[in-house]
Amino acid sequence: MDWITHDEDVWFEFRGDSPHQLTPGRYYKGEVDGFAEFGVFVDLASGVTGLLHRSELDRRLESLDWEAGDTVFVQVKNIRDNGNIDLGWSIRQSEREFRGSRIHDPNGEDDGKPVEESDDSSSAPVKKKPKDVSTKSRERNGESQTTNADDGAVAESDADTQDAAAETETAEAETAEAETAEAETAEAETPTHEAEAETDRFELVSIENLSDRVGDAVRIEGEVVSTRQTGGPTIFEIRDETGVVDCAAFVEAGVRAYPEVGESDIVRLDGEVEVRRDELQVETEELVALEGEEADAVVQRLDDAMAARARPDSVEPLAAHAPVEAVTEQLRDAAETVRRAILESRPIVVRHPATADGYVAGAAVERAVLPRIREEHERADAEYHYFTRRPLDDPIYGMDAATNDVTRMLQDNQRHDEKLPLVLLLGVGATAESLDGLGLLDVYGAERVVVDAAAADEEVEDVADAVVNPGLAGTDAADLSTGALGANLAAAVDSGVREDIAHLLAVSYWEDTPAEYVELAEEAGYDADRTRELREAIALEAYYQSYEDKRELITDLLFDDGVSPGAQRAGGDAVEGNLAAHIAEQFRIKLDAEVETAQANIDVREEAGVTVAVLDADAYTHRFDFPPTSLLVDELHRRNREGDEYVTVATSTDELFVRTTDDVDIRAIAEAARDAVPEGGVTAVAVRDNRIEFLSGARDEVVDAVVTATVDQF
């Protein structure tokens, strides 16, 4: 065929070893490596894997019939500085739909050459040849014979060769029969010696030592963490007391091997250690489910090792602070639960508010957990399978969020054999408004840990597996943020991140930062201006796409000194490319503009010696734009309050926010307003955010009743 010069008309076979050798815009042939809730991982070469995000697909991710090992065609859209590859969907999913193919060989001499013709004319899964299957029988049967184009007769020389091959095959068959008979006789005479020899070939080893045994025949005893069926082998993920490894078992392409063995079974596996795509894998020769005393012995060994590895020796707060010191044992219990989930290969789902404080808490825990997941699992994408942050718009864990989590975990359990997750609630879930959501998780057996610095209700302890809350420990925590508490949990999970997260505690405070945390941040190189920039930048980014974790962006802001990739910093001076400073500037511009408008329209009144400022947020703010009402009312209250008796109320269509200079009971306020306006449908829905909902038709009456009830508490 005529050679095609346009990259978009052909597909490429990549033979490089670095993401940065790829050419954006080209279509490449790849292999499905695995799935995540946000897309598909595709291998373009050994060690070169890209992400086809679900937003790039022309259909729902769940509707794809791809399996791990399937051949797919994708377009390389972008290669990031950190090596991450963004892939695009190709509507052409077979070789015949392209006008040609080329080799992309950046390290060799084959670059630009045509790819040899392939029989593959569809997007069917790649079929892998079973290990140790000989191809000689096909050669003997004349697969390489040539035929006459006119009459199809076999050439005479080839016929002679075929006759000779047939005679040879007959002789080999007779010899094989004799050898088989002789072997059967020998086996009948000495079966014990043969069995002992086979047993001695496999040596019981721990998973942590497999890297030193590549090419060796080994035996592993442990628990099946998960199973997944690829287009080729069945992959069993097995855990012992030292780690986790993937074990491939092959019967026939796409056929489930050892169907009698499932998740949580205790097994003995014999196989050979290999390296596949730069990751350790055991090629399975035999897999047996253990029972009775053999299984009990393995379970006991796993439990003993798990307890020893999961529980921190001690918990040392990041700084001397009474509310944290009061909950060190609670932190230790929570850290043990998190660490045990990692060791048991259970996914961890973190829920936190979409606020600066919430993001700081979630990012701190993420910083501690991800390295442990990488240590525990050989799979390169393990951190995406076993850790997820899902921010919440509301500071409660309601039925909507719980239903979402339960739906996802059941899908992952059924489709990918994943274990039920540990749900870690940071800054949410500690009040009675979250009981229904926590109860739904409890029904399905998902473990629940609640970590919250604000007021908590005792009933939560009955539906959570662990609760970290200074109030429930009998300590006043008025000056403790959830970000600071989350950072201390992170340090308890992995003490190695203490220096990385030392500045986060100060970042989580808008005002009245404890002196201990200010000093801790300064020692880490973050002065007051720098922590303010980070806090404001996180607050702005938390507002946009609030339901997304924005993992890479948050990491750049909080842990890479807020400097965008490629920018340089010398002597601590700000430089072009300072991501945090740029975003913080946008934060101040947007917030100041909104505050200026609001200030001119605040209704200030005096009631029983208390100054009350009321803002109609519907009329005098830009709806559906930054800042959200909760953040705006916080800022107005900080700027305007005078003396010890000041109240700020911001109202919208069917909700209002209350801020006071003294502690108030928002539930009691809502109850009093409900009594005063029974037709108003008044309900306290977010205690930690002092938010009340009502029916919009009774708005004016409800606002007056709430103001009166609030002043009465002074």
Side-chain angles (χ1 to χ4, degrees):
M1 73 174 184
D2 294 332
W3 187 247
I4 306 300
T5 58
H6 299 292
D7 284 357
E8 62 268 23
D9 292 327
V10 303
W11 63 266
F12 285 81
E13 178 184 291
F14 184 58
R15 297 183 180 179
D17 53 18
S18 169
H20 298 289
Q21 295 172 330
L22 293 163
T23 301
R26 286 181 174 178
Y27 289 91
Y28 287 87
K29 185 176 184 178
E31 182 176 302
V32 174
D33 180 63
F35 293 83
E37 63 184 41
F38 43 79
V40 185
F41 291 100
V42 178
D43 292 339
L44 303 181
S46 178
V48 181
T49 301
L51 174 65
L52 177 62
H53 195 271
R54 63 187 177 193
S55 62
E56 294 289 338
L57 299 172
D58 68 348
R59 66 199 69 182
R60 291 177 59 85
L61 182 63
E62 296 78 7
S63 68
L64 289 176
D65 58 359
W66 294 346
E67 295 180 347
D70 286 2
T71 295
V72 294
F73 293 89
V74 292
Q75 184 182 37
V76 172
K77 302 191 70 175
N78 181 43
I79 300 100
R80 306 189 188 189
D81 292 340
N82 62 2
N84 288 349
I85 306 167
D86 298 326
L87 301 177
W89 164 263
S90 171
I91 61 173
R92 296 174 285 194
Q93 284 299 313
S94 68
E95 293 180 8
R96 66 184 178 186
E97 294 173 345
F98 290 87
R99 296 180 61 190
S101 57
R102 297 187 201 173
I103 295 171
H104 182 186
D105 186 11
N107 296 323
E109 299 178 355
D110 294 330
D111 194 45
K113 293 182 179 179
V115 176
E116 294 182 4
E117 290 296 329
S118 167
D119 292 333
D120 176 29
S121 60
S122 69
S123 58
V126 175
K127 305 300 182 183
K128 298 179 175 59
K129 182 177 72 68
K131 185 180 178 183
D132 297 333
V133 172
S134 173
T135 58
K136 291 182 180 178
S137 61
R138 293 196 314 238
E139 294 168 358
R140 292 193 190 111
N141 290 331
E143 285 188 1
S144 59
Q145 296 171 359
T146 58
T147 59
N148 186 292
D150 296 329
D151 57 12
V154 178
E156 183 177 349
S157 60
D158 291 337
D160 292 340
T161 302
Q162 186 175 11
D163 291 341
E167 292 175 3
T168 302
E169 186 171 345
T170 301
E172 288 179 352
E174 293 173 352
T175 302
E177 288 179 6
E179 290 175 349
T180 301
E182 184 177 336
E184 290 175 351
T185 302
E187 183 178 355
E189 292 175 352
T190 59
T192 304
H193 295 299
E194 290 290 340
E196 289 177 353
E198 179 65 17
T199 300
D200 292 343
R201 191 163 76 88
F202 298 99
E203 180 182 352
L204 181 63
V205 298
S206 60
I207 290 175
E208 68 179 354
N209 293 323
L210 290 181
S211 59
D212 300 327
R213 306 298 297 269
V214 175
D216 292 350
V218 300
R219 170 167 292 168
I220 298 171
E221 291 181 346
E223 177 190 11
V224 176
V225 173
S226 67
T227 63
R228 61 185 188 276
Q229 184 61 53
T230 72
T234 305
I235 305 298
F236 293 90
E237 191 177 21
I238 296 181
R239 172 181 65 86
D240 72 0
E241 63 271 28
T242 64
V244 181
V245 69
D246 281 352
C247 303
F250 192 93
V251 175
E252 185 179 338
V255 176
R256 174 72 151 82
Y258 301 101
E260 72 279 5
V261 176
E263 181 184 319
S264 301
D265 282 351
I266 304 300
V267 299
R268 175 184 296 127
L269 182 143
D270 293 338
E272 182 178 320
V273 183
E274 295 184 356
V275 176
R276 184 176 182 272
R277 296 177 186 166
D278 298 324
E279 296 180 8
L280 285 175
Q281 181 172 283
V282 179
E283 295 293 328
T284 305
E285 295 194 19
E286 185 176 13
L287 180 62
V288 178
L290 300 179
E291 297 179 350
E293 293 183 358
E294 286 185 312
D296 292 342
V298 176
V299 170
Q300 188 61 52
R301 194 165 69 237
L302 292 176
D303 285 345
D304 291 344
M306 186 72 66
R309 294 180 64 193
R311 189 159 184 81
D313 294 333
S314 62
V315 172
E316 181 182 350
L318 289 163
H321 194 200
V324 178
E325 292 169 348
V327 295
T328 52
E329 280 307 303
Q330 293 179 1
L331 285 169
R332 192 179 185 193
D333 292 341
E336 179 182 358
T337 305
V338 172
R339 288 165 59 150
R340 191 176 185 100
I342 297 171
L343 296 174
E344 292 177 344
S345 300
R346 282 190 293 118
I348 297 173
V349 176
V350 174
R351 287 294 208 170
H352 62 76
T355 62
D357 188 24
Y359 266 91
V360 166
V365 171
E366 180 178 272
R367 192 71 168 182
V369 169
L370 292 188
R372 284 187 166 266
I373 291 176
R374 297 187 196 108
E375 289 176 8
E376 194 66 23
H377 297 272
E378 292 292 340
R379 293 171 59 184
D381 59 349
E383 65 186 70
Y384 292 98
H385 286 278
Y386 293 107
F387 186 89
T388 304
R389 275 195 300 104
R390 297 175 188 159
L392 288 165
D393 282 331
D394 287 331
I396 61 172
Y397 187 69
M399 282 296 291
D400 184 56
T403 300
N404 183 298
D405 289 341
V406 167
T407 300
R408 292 191 186 189
M409 77 184 188
L410 293 179
Q411 288 176 343
D412 290 341
N413 178 260
Q414 294 172 7
R415 293 176 57 192
H416 308 299
D417 287 327
E418 281 191 1
K419 292 185 175 181
L420 297 182
L422 162 65
V423 180
L424 176 59
L425 304 170
L426 302 173
V428 295
T431 60
E433 288 76 17
S434 297
L435 290 176
D436 289 341
L438 290 168
L440 182 60
L441 293 178
D442 190 22
V443 168
Y444 283 96
E447 204 165 11
R448 306 153 311 284
V449 174
V450 177
V451 179
D452 200 338
D457 294 318
E458 293 181 357
E459 305 97 297
V460 172
E461 292 183 299
D462 297 330
V463 292
D465 295 281
V467 178
V468 182
N469 181 263
L472 295 180
T475 301
D476 180 16
D479 64 342
L480 180 64
S481 68
T482 294
L485 192 57
N488 276 284
L489 173 61
V493 170
D494 187 350
S495 60
V497 301
R498 294 177 69 90
E499 292 185 5
D500 286 351
I501 64 177
H503 63 294
L504 296 188
L505 296 88
V507 173
S508 67
Y509 285 84
W510 286 99
E511 60 180 346
D512 300 327
T513 309
E516 299 89 345
Y517 297 159
V518 173
E519 183 179 349
L520 194 64
E522 290 176 345
E523 290 175 355
Y526 292 80
D527 60 18
D529 287 339
R530 194 71 189 135
T531 57
R532 176 188 54 77
E533 283 182 347
L534 294 180
R535 178 170 53 253
E536 292 175 350
I538 295 295
L540 182 63
E541 293 302 337
Y543 175 78
Y544 296 106
Q545 292 185 318
S546 57
Y547 50 86
E548 296 286 354
D549 64 0
K550 301 176 276 287
R551 180 182 292 184
E552 290 78 13
L553 176 59
I554 299 301
T555 297
D556 284 344
L557 286 170
L558 291 179
F559 301 110
D560 291 335
D561 203 20
V563 178
S564 60
Q568 301 295 321
R569 176 177 292 277
D573 296 327
V575 296
E576 184 179 357
N578 187 330
L579 182 64
H582 171 74
I583 298 176
E585 181 181 6
Q586 298 302 311
F587 169 91
R588 288 190 293 275
I589 290 173
K590 292 176 177 292
L591 182 63
D592 288 346
E594 204 74 359
V595 167
E596 182 179 359
T597 301
Q599 291 280 35
N601 294 282
I602 289 178
D603 175 22
V604 180
R605 61 184 82 165
E606 294 287 333
E607 294 202 15
V610 177
T611 302
V612 181
V614 179
L615 171 70
D616 184 341
D618 263 351
Y620 300 109
T621 64
H622 294 93
R623 300 180 64 187
F624 312 117
D625 197 4
F626 184 86
T629 304
S630 59
L631 195 152
L632 176 62
V633 71
D634 284 340
E635 185 67 17
L636 289 172
H637 190 66
R638 279 193 292 267
R639 295 190 185 190
N640 296 334
R641 65 188 179 193
E642 298 176 358
D644 296 330
E645 297 183 340
Y646 194 94
V647 176
T648 304
V649 177
T651 70
S652 59
T653 303
D654 59 357
E655 66 179 6
L656 60 80
F657 296 83
V658 178
R659 299 294 183 264
T660 65
T661 51
D662 198 3
D663 291 336
V664 294
D665 184 343
I666 197 68
R667 288 178 181 147
I669 292 173
E671 184 178 354
R674 185 164 55 249
D675 291 341
V677 189
E679 71 280 10
V682 182
T683 307
V685 293
V687 174
R688 72 187 320 276
D689 205 24
N690 278 5
R691 178 161 64 91
I692 291 175
E693 287 186 354
F694 52 86
L695 298 177
S696 58
R699 172 177 166 178
D700 293 341
E701 295 84 352
V702 170
V703 171
D704 290 341
V706 166
V707 168
T708 299
T710 303
V711 170
D712 287 345
Q713 288 202 15
F714 277 77

